[in-house]
Amino acid sequence: MRPTFFGTVAGAGAASPIALVASVAADAPDGITSVTAPINTTGATLLVAMTAYYVPGGVATLTDSKSNTWTALTLYAGANGAGRMYYCKNPVVGTGHTFTLTDDGGGADYNAVAVAAFSGTNTAENADGDNGATNASTATLQPGSITPSLDNSVVVTGLMFNDNPPSGNATINGGFTVAQSKSSAVGYSVAIAYLVQATAAAANPTWTGPRTDIMTAAISSFKQA
């Protein structure tokens, strides 16, 4: 007869830590439509996108090749440039996954998009906080502080910046990792970065661009499964 054991096996049922699955970025060579290269998002439970576009050109629309539904966070816009984060929880994922940001038809908006796919997130929860900032002429910008409500959350921040002609990538401090930084020779540039926090704490990192120009930053957080 096999012995009976009581109690909990160490680690049993423990949630997997949030991790980056894949990322990608693209700008619009024609000033109208940005289409990313295909990536493999298999295993992702959350997609987060940072979009950038020229305000007088109209609004840019985000879609993807898996026909997911995206939730828009707050639009942070100046007189010319705008930045906005989107997310999709519990998305349809897989190989050959592409993302498209296109002008709404009001005129060229010189857009760009950066996307990060994460595993281990809570697919029932919405974004846990939202902040952002914009500046017409700066080399550094903070999006504003947010504090996740739970430990083990992922904080994601995005940047819209002007780097035309391209001269370098955007960087960030505060322990964040840049998943993508795309400098555009046609329009606005874009970057996205993330930090998985073991212990929930206020986060307000500083983005640094390759030149002094317009910048818009946004930040949000998402809970662990």
Side-chain angles (χ1 to χ4, degrees), residues 18-105:
I18 296 174
L20 180 71
V21 173
S23 64
V24 69
D27 65 341
D30 61 357
I32 297 174
T33 303
S34 298
V35 182
T36 71
I39 59 173
N40 186 354
T41 55
T42 300
T45 54
L46 172 71
L47 306 173
V48 184
M50 179 64 179
T51 64
Y53 60 91
Y54 178 60
V55 174
V59 176
T61 301
L62 177 64
T63 57
D64 69 283
S65 61
K66 305 294 185 182
S67 300
N68 285 298
T69 299
W70 293 83
T71 298
L73 292 174
T74 305
L75 174 67
Y76 297 100
N80 290 315
R84 182 175 232 166
M85 288 178 64
Y86 292 79
Y87 70 94
C88 176
K89 58 185 183 180
N90 199 24
V92 178
V93 295
T95 59
H97 204 162
T98 62
F99 304 86
T100 300
L101 186 66
T102 189
D103 177 72
D104 64 355

Side-chain angles (χ1 to χ4, degrees), residues 34-193:
S34 298
V35 182
T36 71
I39 59 173
N40 186 354
T41 55
T42 300
T45 54
L46 172 71
L47 306 173
V48 184
M50 179 64 179
T51 64
Y53 60 91
Y54 178 60
V55 174
V59 176
T61 301
L62 177 64
T63 57
D64 69 283
S65 61
K66 305 294 185 182
S67 300
N68 285 298
T69 299
W70 293 83
T71 298
L73 292 174
T74 305
L75 174 67
Y76 297 100
N80 290 315
R84 182 175 232 166
M85 288 178 64
Y86 292 79
Y87 70 94
C88 176
K89 58 185 183 180
N90 199 24
V92 178
V93 295
T95 59
H97 204 162
T98 62
F99 304 86
T100 300
L101 186 66
T102 189
D103 177 72
D104 64 355
D109 60 14
Y110 307 104
N111 59 64
V113 60
V115 180
F118 298 94
S119 62
T121 60
N122 190 323
T123 58
E125 295 282 350
N126 294 320
D128 183 28
D130 177 25
N131 210 344
T134 187
N135 192 304
S137 180
T138 186
T140 63
L141 187 64
Q142 292 179 287
S145 182
I146 64 167
T147 303
S149 59
L150 293 177
D151 295 344
N152 303 308
S153 296
V154 62
V155 184
V156 185
T157 178
L159 180 71
M160 178 280 290
F161 61 106
N162 187 30
D163 186 32
N164 188 359
S167 60
N169 292 315
T171 60
I172 194 170
N173 68 359
F176 281 74
T177 298
V178 177
Q180 293 286 328
S181 179
K182 175 68 174 179
S183 287
S184 176
V186 178
Y188 286 121
S189 302
V190 70
I192 193 166

